[in-house]
mmCIF file with all atom_site columns, all heavy atoms in Angstrom:
data_model
loop_
_atom_site.group_PDB
_atom_site.id
_atom_site.type_symbol
_atom_site.label_atom_id
_atom_site.label_alt_id
_atom_site.label_comp_id
_atom_site.label_asym_id
_atom_site.label_entity_id
_atom_site.label_seq_id
_atom_site.pdbx_PDB_ins_code
_atom_site.Cartn_x
_atom_site.Cartn_y
_atom_site.Cartn_z
_atom_site.occupancy
_atom_site.B_iso_or_equiv
_atom_site.pdbx_formal_charge
_atom_site.auth_seq_id
_atom_site.auth_comp_id
_atom_site.auth_asym_id
_atom_site.auth_atom_id
_atom_site.pdbx_PDB_model_num
ATOM 1   N N   . VAL A 1 243 ? -74.750 -131.409 92.165  1.00 0.00 ? 243 VAL A N   1
ATOM 2   C CA  . VAL A 1 243 ? -76.007 -132.169 92.220  1.00 0.00 ? 243 VAL A CA  1
ATOM 3   C C   . VAL A 1 243 ? -76.041 -133.176 93.362  1.00 0.00 ? 243 VAL A C   1
ATOM 4   O O   . VAL A 1 243 ? -77.065 -133.811 93.612  1.00 0.00 ? 243 VAL A O   1
ATOM 5   C CB  . VAL A 1 243 ? -76.273 -132.903 90.887  1.00 0.00 ? 243 VAL A CB  1
ATOM 6   C CG1 . VAL A 1 243 ? -76.459 -131.907 89.756  1.00 0.00 ? 243 VAL A CG1 1
ATOM 7   C CG2 . VAL A 1 243 ? -75.157 -133.891 90.558  1.00 0.00 ? 243 VAL A CG2 1
ATOM 8   N N   . ILE A 1 244 ? -74.942 -133.333 94.076  1.00 0.00 ? 244 ILE A N   1
ATOM 9   C CA  . ILE A 1 244 ? -74.893 -134.269 95.204  1.00 0.00 ? 244 ILE A CA  1
ATOM 10  C C   . ILE A 1 244 ? -75.164 -133.481 96.480  1.00 0.00 ? 244 ILE A C   1
ATOM 11  O O   . ILE A 1 244 ? -74.268 -132.906 97.093  1.00 0.00 ? 244 ILE A O   1
ATOM 12  C CB  . ILE A 1 244 ? -73.530 -134.994 95.284  1.00 0.00 ? 244 ILE A CB  1
ATOM 13  C CG1 . ILE A 1 244 ? -73.245 -135.727 93.977  1.00 0.00 ? 244 ILE A CG1 1
ATOM 14  C CG2 . ILE A 1 244 ? -73.520 -135.954 96.466  1.00 0.00 ? 244 ILE A CG2 1
ATOM 15  C CD1 . ILE A 1 244 ? -74.224 -136.836 93.648  1.00 0.00 ? 244 ILE A CD1 1
ATOM 16  N N   . ASP A 1 245 ? -76.443 -133.457 96.883  1.00 0.00 ? 245 ASP A N   1
ATOM 17  C CA  . ASP A 1 245 ? -76.832 -132.668 98.051  1.00 0.00 ? 245 ASP A CA  1
ATOM 18  C C   . ASP A 1 245 ? -77.535 -133.503 99.116  1.00 0.00 ? 245 ASP A C   1
ATOM 19  O O   . ASP A 1 245 ? -78.235 -132.963 99.972  1.00 0.00 ? 245 ASP A O   1
ATOM 20  C CB  . ASP A 1 245 ? -77.710 -131.490 97.635  1.00 0.00 ? 245 ASP A CB  1
ATOM 21  C CG  . ASP A 1 245 ? -78.958 -131.925 96.869  1.00 0.00 ? 245 ASP A CG  1
ATOM 22  O OD1 . ASP A 1 245 ? -79.179 -133.155 96.734  1.00 0.00 ? 245 ASP A OD1 1
ATOM 23  O OD2 . ASP A 1 245 ? -79.710 -131.053 96.410  1.00 0.00 ? 245 ASP A OD2 1
ATOM 24  N N   . GLY A 1 246 ? -77.350 -134.826 99.072  1.00 0.00 ? 246 GLY A N   1
ATOM 25  C CA  . GLY A 1 246 ? -77.960 -135.688 100.067 1.00 0.00 ? 246 GLY A CA  1
ATOM 26  C C   . GLY A 1 246 ? -77.694 -137.145 99.759  1.00 0.00 ? 246 GLY A C   1
ATOM 27  O O   . GLY A 1 246 ? -77.010 -137.479 98.780  1.00 0.00 ? 246 GLY A O   1
ATOM 28  N N   . LEU A 1 247 ? -78.248 -138.019 100.571 1.00 0.00 ? 247 LEU A N   1
ATOM 29  C CA  . LEU A 1 247 ? -78.022 -139.448 100.395 1.00 0.00 ? 247 LEU A CA  1
ATOM 30  C C   . LEU A 1 247 ? -78.740 -139.986 99.163  1.00 0.00 ? 247 LEU A C   1
ATOM 31  O O   . LEU A 1 247 ? -78.229 -140.887 98.487  1.00 0.00 ? 247 LEU A O   1
ATOM 32  C CB  . LEU A 1 247 ? -78.481 -140.208 101.642 1.00 0.00 ? 247 LEU A CB  1
ATOM 33  C CG  . LEU A 1 247 ? -77.831 -139.799 102.977 1.00 0.00 ? 247 LEU A CG  1
ATOM 34  C CD1 . LEU A 1 247 ? -78.277 -140.767 104.070 1.00 0.00 ? 247 LEU A CD1 1
ATOM 35  C CD2 . LEU A 1 247 ? -76.317 -139.768 102.872 1.00 0.00 ? 247 LEU A CD2 1
ATOM 36  N N   . GLY A 1 248 ? -79.909 -139.448 98.845  1.00 0.00 ? 248 GLY A N   1
ATOM 37  C CA  . GLY A 1 248 ? -80.652 -139.908 97.676  1.00 0.00 ? 248 GLY A CA  1
ATOM 38  C C   . GLY A 1 248 ? -79.868 -139.779 96.381  1.00 0.00 ? 248 GLY A C   1
ATOM 39  O O   . GLY A 1 248 ? -79.736 -140.754 95.628  1.00 0.00 ? 248 GLY A O   1
ATOM 40  N N   . PRO A 1 249 ? -79.341 -138.601 96.070  1.00 0.00 ? 249 PRO A N   1
ATOM 41  C CA  . PRO A 1 249 ? -78.534 -138.461 94.858  1.00 0.00 ? 249 PRO A CA  1
ATOM 42  C C   . PRO A 1 249 ? -77.301 -139.364 94.850  1.00 0.00 ? 249 PRO A C   1
ATOM 43  O O   . PRO A 1 249 ? -76.886 -139.823 93.791  1.00 0.00 ? 249 PRO A O   1
ATOM 44  C CB  . PRO A 1 249 ? -78.137 -136.980 94.872  1.00 0.00 ? 249 PRO A CB  1
ATOM 45  C CG  . PRO A 1 249 ? -79.224 -136.311 95.642  1.00 0.00 ? 249 PRO A CG  1
ATOM 46  C CD  . PRO A 1 249 ? -79.619 -137.288 96.697  1.00 0.00 ? 249 PRO A CD  1
ATOM 47  N N   . LEU A 1 250 ? -76.709 -139.609 96.021  1.00 0.00 ? 250 LEU A N   1
ATOM 48  C CA  . LEU A 1 250 ? -75.567 -140.518 96.082  1.00 0.00 ? 250 LEU A CA  1
ATOM 49  C C   . LEU A 1 250 ? -75.963 -141.934 95.668  1.00 0.00 ? 250 LEU A C   1
ATOM 50  O O   . LEU A 1 250 ? -75.265 -142.580 94.879  1.00 0.00 ? 250 LEU A O   1
ATOM 51  C CB  . LEU A 1 250 ? -74.999 -140.561 97.503  1.00 0.00 ? 250 LEU A CB  1
ATOM 52  C CG  . LEU A 1 250 ? -73.937 -139.528 97.878  1.00 0.00 ? 250 LEU A CG  1
ATOM 53  C CD1 . LEU A 1 250 ? -73.578 -139.673 99.339  1.00 0.00 ? 250 LEU A CD1 1
ATOM 54  C CD2 . LEU A 1 250 ? -72.715 -139.671 97.006  1.00 0.00 ? 250 LEU A CD2 1
ATOM 55  N N   . LEU A 1 251 ? -77.083 -142.394 96.187  1.00 0.00 ? 251 LEU A N   1
ATOM 56  C CA  . LEU A 1 251 ? -77.544 -143.738 95.841  1.00 0.00 ? 251 LEU A CA  1
ATOM 57  C C   . LEU A 1 251 ? -77.914 -143.830 94.370  1.00 0.00 ? 251 LEU A C   1
ATOM 58  O O   . LEU A 1 251 ? -77.641 -144.835 93.704  1.00 0.00 ? 251 LEU A O   1
ATOM 59  C CB  . LEU A 1 251 ? -78.737 -144.113 96.727  1.00 0.00 ? 251 LEU A CB  1
ATOM 60  C CG  . LEU A 1 251 ? -78.411 -144.325 98.209  1.00 0.00 ? 251 LEU A CG  1
ATOM 61  C CD1 . LEU A 1 251 ? -79.683 -144.424 99.029  1.00 0.00 ? 251 LEU A CD1 1
ATOM 62  C CD2 . LEU A 1 251 ? -77.546 -145.575 98.391  1.00 0.00 ? 251 LEU A CD2 1
ATOM 63  N N   . ARG A 1 252 ? -78.527 -142.779 93.845  1.00 0.00 ? 252 ARG A N   1
ATOM 64  C CA  . ARG A 1 252 ? -78.877 -142.771 92.430  1.00 0.00 ? 252 ARG A CA  1
ATOM 65  C C   . ARG A 1 252 ? -77.633 -142.799 91.562  1.00 0.00 ? 252 ARG A C   1
ATOM 66  O O   . ARG A 1 252 ? -77.565 -143.543 90.579  1.00 0.00 ? 252 ARG A O   1
ATOM 67  C CB  . ARG A 1 252 ? -79.718 -141.531 92.109  1.00 0.00 ? 252 ARG A CB  1
ATOM 68  C CG  . ARG A 1 252 ? -80.211 -141.484 90.679  1.00 0.00 ? 252 ARG A CG  1
ATOM 69  C CD  . ARG A 1 252 ? -80.957 -140.195 90.383  1.00 0.00 ? 252 ARG A CD  1
ATOM 70  N NE  . ARG A 1 252 ? -81.430 -140.175 89.009  1.00 0.00 ? 252 ARG A NE  1
ATOM 71  C CZ  . ARG A 1 252 ? -81.894 -139.093 88.390  1.00 0.00 ? 252 ARG A CZ  1
ATOM 72  N NH1 . ARG A 1 252 ? -81.947 -137.935 89.035  1.00 0.00 ? 252 ARG A NH1 1
ATOM 73  N NH2 . ARG A 1 252 ? -82.305 -139.154 87.135  1.00 0.00 ? 252 ARG A NH2 1
ATOM 74  N N   . ALA A 1 253 ? -76.634 -141.987 91.923  1.00 0.00 ? 253 ALA A N   1
ATOM 75  C CA  . ALA A 1 253 ? -75.399 -141.947 91.149  1.00 0.00 ? 253 ALA A CA  1
ATOM 76  C C   . ALA A 1 253 ? -74.693 -143.292 91.151  1.00 0.00 ? 253 ALA A C   1
ATOM 77  O O   . ALA A 1 253 ? -74.144 -143.727 90.137  1.00 0.00 ? 253 ALA A O   1
ATOM 78  C CB  . ALA A 1 253 ? -74.475 -140.859 91.694  1.00 0.00 ? 253 ALA A CB  1
ATOM 79  N N   . GLN A 1 254 ? -74.715 -143.967 92.297  1.00 0.00 ? 254 GLN A N   1
ATOM 80  C CA  . GLN A 1 254 ? -74.095 -145.290 92.373  1.00 0.00 ? 254 GLN A CA  1
ATOM 81  C C   . GLN A 1 254 ? -74.851 -146.290 91.502  1.00 0.00 ? 254 GLN A C   1
ATOM 82  O O   . GLN A 1 254 ? -74.245 -147.091 90.781  1.00 0.00 ? 254 GLN A O   1
ATOM 83  C CB  . GLN A 1 254 ? -74.074 -145.758 93.828  1.00 0.00 ? 254 GLN A CB  1
ATOM 84  C CG  . GLN A 1 254 ? -73.498 -147.143 94.037  1.00 0.00 ? 254 GLN A CG  1
ATOM 85  C CD  . GLN A 1 254 ? -71.988 -147.195 93.885  1.00 0.00 ? 254 GLN A CD  1
ATOM 86  O OE1 . GLN A 1 254 ? -71.360 -146.179 93.583  1.00 0.00 ? 254 GLN A OE1 1
ATOM 87  N NE2 . GLN A 1 254 ? -71.394 -148.356 94.092  1.00 0.00 ? 254 GLN A NE2 1
ATOM 88  N N   . ALA A 1 255 ? -76.174 -146.255 91.551  1.00 0.00 ? 255 ALA A N   1
ATOM 89  C CA  . ALA A 1 255 ? -76.973 -147.195 90.769  1.00 0.00 ? 255 ALA A CA  1
ATOM 90  C C   . ALA A 1 255 ? -76.790 -146.986 89.267  1.00 0.00 ? 255 ALA A C   1
ATOM 91  O O   . ALA A 1 255 ? -76.768 -147.945 88.489  1.00 0.00 ? 255 ALA A O   1
ATOM 92  C CB  . ALA A 1 255 ? -78.445 -147.064 91.146  1.00 0.00 ? 255 ALA A CB  1
ATOM 93  N N   . ASP A 1 256 ? -76.622 -145.724 88.854  1.00 0.00 ? 256 ASP A N   1
ATOM 94  C CA  . ASP A 1 256 ? -76.470 -145.402 87.434  1.00 0.00 ? 256 ASP A CA  1
ATOM 95  C C   . ASP A 1 256 ? -75.012 -145.471 86.963  1.00 0.00 ? 256 ASP A C   1
ATOM 96  O O   . ASP A 1 256 ? -74.751 -145.249 85.776  1.00 0.00 ? 256 ASP A O   1
ATOM 97  C CB  . ASP A 1 256 ? -76.991 -143.989 87.161  1.00 0.00 ? 256 ASP A CB  1
ATOM 98  C CG  . ASP A 1 256 ? -78.489 -143.869 87.294  1.00 0.00 ? 256 ASP A CG  1
ATOM 99  O OD1 . ASP A 1 256 ? -79.171 -144.907 87.199  1.00 0.00 ? 256 ASP A OD1 1
ATOM 100 O OD2 . ASP A 1 256 ? -78.981 -142.738 87.492  1.00 0.00 ? 256 ASP A OD2 1
ATOM 101 N N   . LEU A 1 257 ? -74.095 -145.738 87.900  1.00 0.00 ? 257 LEU A N   1
ATOM 102 C CA  . LEU A 1 257 ? -72.664 -145.626 87.589  1.00 0.00 ? 257 LEU A CA  1
ATOM 103 C C   . LEU A 1 257 ? -72.372 -144.282 86.927  1.00 0.00 ? 257 LEU A C   1
ATOM 104 O O   . LEU A 1 257 ? -71.656 -144.186 85.928  1.00 0.00 ? 257 LEU A O   1
ATOM 105 C CB  . LEU A 1 257 ? -72.211 -146.795 86.696  1.00 0.00 ? 257 LEU A CB  1
ATOM 106 C CG  . LEU A 1 257 ? -72.345 -148.191 87.302  1.00 0.00 ? 257 LEU A CG  1
ATOM 107 C CD1 . LEU A 1 257 ? -71.895 -149.246 86.285  1.00 0.00 ? 257 LEU A CD1 1
ATOM 108 C CD2 . LEU A 1 257 ? -71.533 -148.306 88.595  1.00 0.00 ? 257 LEU A CD2 1
ATOM 109 N N   . ALA A 1 258 ? -72.929 -143.238 87.528  1.00 0.00 ? 258 ALA A N   1
ATOM 110 C CA  . ALA A 1 258 ? -72.877 -141.910 86.927  1.00 0.00 ? 258 ALA A CA  1
ATOM 111 C C   . ALA A 1 258 ? -71.553 -141.200 87.147  1.00 0.00 ? 258 ALA A C   1
ATOM 112 O O   . ALA A 1 258 ? -71.283 -140.178 86.501  1.00 0.00 ? 258 ALA A O   1
ATOM 113 C CB  . ALA A 1 258 ? -74.003 -141.041 87.494  1.00 0.00 ? 258 ALA A CB  1
#
Side-chain angles (χ1 to χ4, degrees):
V243 296
I244 303 297
D245 57 4
L247 303 187
L250 272 176
L251 291 169
R252 184 184 180 193
Q254 178 74 358
D256 291 339
L257 298 178

